Amino acid sequence: MIQEILNIQYPVIQGGMAWISDASLAAAVSNAGGLGVIACGNAPGSYVREQIKKIRELTDKPYGLNVMLLSPYVEEVALIATEEKVPVVITGAGDPSRFIKAWQSNGTKVIPVVASVALAKRMVRLGVDAIIAEGGEAGGHVGELNTMTLVPAVVDAIDLPVIAAGGIFDARGVLASFALGASGVQVGTRFILAEECTVHENYKKKVIKAKDIDSFVTGRNTGHPVRVLRNPLSKELKKMDHAGKTAEEIEAFSAGSLYRAAIEGDLKTGSFMAGQCACMVDEIEPAAKILESLLALSEPFARLKQQVEAL
Ligand code: TUI
């Protein structure tokens, strides 16, 4: 069971969100019985050390560190994760093979996020502790497959607990994830609206206001697909992608844009990464309440039972 592996009460992991999920949000989720996760994103080691120090003051429960493998600081961040013996490392946006042994030698549990069956199988051979299968409904960097296909495909291919991610925001999604064979869920976007989430108010407002078609993927052609909310920056990025601009040109244009959105609240040139479910979440609540509502399984379960019995 994933709760036993991670030493947590509920099978809910808060998704690592760069410049959004800091020690404040992560501690609130861990204190409520889930696994709170500090995102490293593109931040330097000094930021990561500071956040680890903070979370240790805020909780004595296990927490995770999300290591983003495309970060220019990935080597120093990976080393800090080892030195600080963080309870759980979750990796994203690449292949973490070269770091796994060092982390595990210090007792850290390692859970890579994968977007394909091939990477999931490679990770299993390297001895990771569980796998997060993240579908394209998720915010930020995404793969090709969606959750409905990716999760059962990974569940069938490997013999480790699989955590479903991408598009999960309430108890219906949690129940659906279990139906697909997952042992737990990772939830990102909904936790942006947690009271304890310190992201700029404009970011929360963007998520609250988002309609169904306001979340789309830019950069599919250039090989850096990222799901974001509609604004002047994302519209321009979509245009550049269609116009066949190079990865370098797009990278130069969008450098620092997630920081501008999350920390400065820059509505025009910020990158507001969020999942498709931004259109389904609109309430600011304590993280503990969010966890409670994710786990309120009896209502969707009763509805499902009724539907099955009517067959
Ligand atoms: O990592 C994420 N989502 C992210 S990271 C991020 S920060 C960022 N900032 C600027 C540009 C790009 C990103 C924002 N959102 N999710 C986990 C995830 N990992 N989703 C998909 C993958 C993935 C994709 C391909 C993991 C491995 C992979 O394999 C590559 C390989 O080497 O096989």
Side-chain angles (χ1 to χ4, degrees):
M1 238 180 27
I2 196 70
Q3 292 96 309
E4 278 159 12
I5 295 170
L6 301 179
N7 195 22
I8 57 177
Q9 199 177 350
Y10 305 117
V12 179
I13 298 177
Q14 164 247 308
M17 298 174 282
W19 299 119
I20 297 175
S21 62
D22 60 6
S24 168
L25 175 60
V29 174
S30 287
N31 281 329
L35 187 79
V37 175
I38 294 168
C40 302
N42 277 329
S46 53
Y47 171 87
V48 175
R49 272 205 207 277
E50 189 190 316
Q51 293 300 318
I52 293 173
K53 187 164 172 266
K54 271 195 192 159
I55 199 165
R56 286 189 180 138
E57 288 162 8
L58 296 171
T59 186
D60 52 8
K61 300 264 169 57
Y63 63 90
L65 194 67
N66 184 292
V67 175
M68 210 277 281
L69 293 156
L70 291 172
S71 166
Y73 300 102
V74 67
E75 301 294 328
E76 68 179 79
V77 165
L79 195 63
I80 290 168
T82 309
E83 285 172 3
E84 300 288 344
K85 297 183 173 36
V86 300
V88 183
V89 166
I90 294 170
T91 66
D95 182 345
S97 297
R98 66 191 189 281
F99 302 120
I100 291 172
K101 281 270 155 339
W103 290 330
Q104 287 186 329
S105 69
N106 268 0
T108 295
K109 304 288 182 197
V110 179
I111 311 182
V113 175
V114 305
S116 69
V117 168
L119 189 61
K121 283 181 168 173
R122 203 180 324 148
M123 294 299 99
V124 172
R125 285 198 293 275
L126 292 174
V128 301
D129 298 277
I131 291 283
I132 297 175
E134 187 181 284
E137 296 93 323
H141 185 77
V142 288
E144 195 56 40
L145 292 169
N146 286 346
T147 304
M148 185 74 93
T149 302
L150 180 67
V151 171
V154 173
V155 165
D156 284 356
I158 68 173
D159 214 3
L160 273 183
V162 175
I163 291 144
I168 302 157
F169 60 90
D170 70 4
R172 290 174 291 184
V174 175
L175 188 63
S177 301
F178 291 142
L180 296 175
S183 307
V185 294
Q186 178 182 268
V187 174
T189 301
R190 184 152 180 203
F191 280 112
I192 296 175
L193 300 188
E195 273 174 13
E196 298 88 347
C197 176
T198 60
V199 74
H200 195 284
E201 206 186 302
N202 286 352
Y203 210 116
K204 294 192 182 189
K205 282 188 185 154
K206 281 289 283 182
V207 172
I208 289 169
K209 280 195 201 145
K211 299 271 177 290
D212 52 0
I213 55 170
D214 288 336
S215 161
F216 53 77
V217 176
T218 66
R220 282 234 194 258
N221 293 332
T222 45
H224 273 268
V226 176
R227 179 174 292 285
V228 287
L229 295 180
R230 186 187 309 278
N231 77 337
L233 177 91
S234 61
K235 280 194 230 168
E236 187 56 33
L237 285 173
K238 190 103 182 156
K239 262 195 234 159
M240 288 173 85
D241 193 38
H242 285 145
K245 301 281 183 198
T246 65
E248 290 73 29
E249 283 172 298
I250 290 186
E251 174 58 32
F253 187 75
S254 59
S257 58
L258 184 55
Y259 182 91
R260 287 199 296 278
I263 307 294
E264 296 169 356
D266 182 336
L267 292 165
K268 289 203 175 106
T269 78
S271 175
F272 293 82
M273 296 184 188
Q276 284 182 346
C277 69
C279 66
M280 296 295 288
V281 299
D282 52 17
E283 220 175 309
I284 307 271
E285 304 166 290
K289 276 259 182 272
I290 295 176
L291 259 171
E292 206 178 288
S293 100
L294 287 165
L295 295 163
L297 289 166
S298 56
E299 195 262 333
F301 187 76
R303 217 181 317 163
L304 183 69
K305 199 162 163 264
Q306 230 175 23
Q307 282 163 344
V308 170
E309 279 164 3
L311 287 176

